[in-house]
Amino acid sequence: MVIWRKHGRLCRESIGRKDEEMKAESVSIIGGADGPTSVFLAGRTGKRSWKVRIRNRIFQLRRKWIARRIRPSAHTLEEVVLFVKQHYGAREASRESRAYREQRECLKSALIGRYRPELLGELRTILRPDIYNEESIQEMFDQMQKQKERAAQIPDDQFPMDYHIYQIRLKGGRMEIEIDFQWDIFGVSFSGDKKAMKSLKRLSRRLYMYYGVSEKDIRNHSERYSSLLTVLASD
């Protein structure tokens, strides 16, 4: 089972037993618990097959190859919005929609946890259990949910945001671009059928490349730089 937290949202997804990464009784955690996205692989993880090891090695080599070729060419979030509107007909999602409210709350929780954790009081820290099992993981996610609810109650004057969602629709699929001008947040997600996914993945890479990175991002290996590198290195 894969359990992840994206911008505070709690999600679960089952993985088929044929997945060769699921071998030993343990839990893996990918990413920091205080970041926008944390991933927990619960159940049979541990020894990895030679196919998985080779795939991971190829990915790391690809990252290094791409890293040497990234050049500074950054655009502002305002320029990104203008670009997707002019070239792809992007439209802003209603702030009254349920999806907008939920995603804004998720991001708000993650940002407060990162930048203003003192606003969360006793819920500022989520303790990881000593032993990972279904019960301990559920308890941890209950704490995350309480943290999210506490963050939602914090007034906007204490933690301002300027959050927007822009949508691009293609035949068989759609893309959502999340932007917060206050906190310099840029994220892309998409879904659809097999044919649409190929087009949307190419578009996602193009948008990340257009957003780009500065010399400072490259020099400091900033989160913006890391995001671009990961997107370009993915299959």
Side-chain angles (χ1 to χ4, degrees):
M1 175 184 293
V2 174
I3 307 174
W4 74 95
R5 179 190 186 201
K6 179 179 181 183
H7 300 330
R9 183 179 302 163
L10 311 184
C11 312
R12 299 187 181 193
E13 178 181 348
S14 296
I15 289 182
R17 289 298 180 183
K18 65 180 180 180
D19 191 318
E20 296 186 77
E21 293 185 72
M22 306 302 220
K23 292 294 182 182
E25 294 297 330
S26 64
V27 172
S28 297
I29 301 178
I30 305 174
D34 58 345
T37 305
S38 301
V39 182
F40 304 83
L41 299 180
R44 299 174 60 83
T45 65
K47 292 183 178 180
R48 295 174 296 177
S49 73
W50 62 271
K51 290 183 180 180
V52 174
R53 292 197 298 270
I54 291 174
R55 186 164 63 244
N56 289 345
R57 180 58 177 166
I58 291 174
F59 176 75
Q60 293 303 324
L61 291 174
R62 182 174 171 81
R63 278 179 63 95
K64 291 180 180 180
W65 184 83
I66 291 174
R68 292 194 295 267
R69 286 158 176 78
I70 291 180
R71 298 292 181 267
S73 177
H75 290 87
T76 66
L77 290 173
E78 289 79 5
E79 289 174 323
V80 171
V81 171
L82 185 61
F83 180 76
V84 297
K85 285 183 175 181
Q86 289 183 340
H87 293 273
Y88 301 101
R91 296 185 178 182
E92 185 169 358
S94 170
R95 299 189 182 190
E96 303 302 319
S97 68
R98 179 179 177 182
Y100 174 89
R101 294 196 302 269
E102 289 181 348
Q103 289 174 235
R104 185 182 186 278
E105 286 184 6
C106 289
L107 179 59
K108 182 179 181 181
S109 176
L111 290 174
I112 290 176
R114 176 181 296 186
Y115 298 112
R116 295 290 305 279
E118 70 277 6
L119 295 177
L120 297 171
E122 73 280 4
L123 292 173
R124 63 186 298 171
T125 302
I126 301 296
L127 299 178
R128 294 179 178 177
D130 296 328
I131 299 176
Y132 286 92
N133 52 41
E134 286 289 336
E135 183 178 352
S136 65
I137 291 175
Q138 182 59 54
E139 182 178 351
M140 181 170 58
F141 272 81
D142 288 342
Q143 293 181 53
M144 290 179 178
Q145 183 62 37
K146 291 179 181 179
Q147 188 184 71
K148 176 185 172 183
E149 293 170 357
R150 174 69 60 84
Q153 297 171 1
I154 295 173
D156 290 342
D157 59 351
Q158 291 188 39
F159 194 85
M161 294 178 65
D162 189 5
Y163 179 70
H164 304 260
I165 298 177
Y166 300 92
Q167 298 176 335
I168 298 175
R169 295 185 180 274
L170 299 179
K171 183 178 180 181
R174 72 171 188 172
M175 172 179 286
E176 286 193 348
I177 303 161
E178 293 184 81
I179 288 178
D180 191 286
F181 296 102
Q182 180 75 28
W183 299 97
D184 291 327
I185 297 297
F186 173 75
V188 176
S189 60
F190 49 90
S191 61
D193 58 33
K194 188 174 181 179
K195 183 178 180 180
M197 288 292 283
K198 290 182 179 179
S199 298
L200 291 169
K201 188 171 185 177
R202 288 194 296 269
L203 176 55
S204 174
R205 290 180 176 178
R206 183 174 185 186
L207 295 184
Y208 272 97
M209 291 176 65
Y210 182 81
Y211 185 40
V213 291
S214 65
E215 290 185 5
K216 184 178 179 180
D217 290 317
I218 297 173
R219 183 171 61 253
N220 297 334
H221 285 197
S222 68
E223 185 174 330
R224 180 169 174 171
Y225 169 82
S226 179
S227 296
L228 174 62
L229 182 56
T230 299
V231 168
L232 295 181
S234 64
D235 294 332

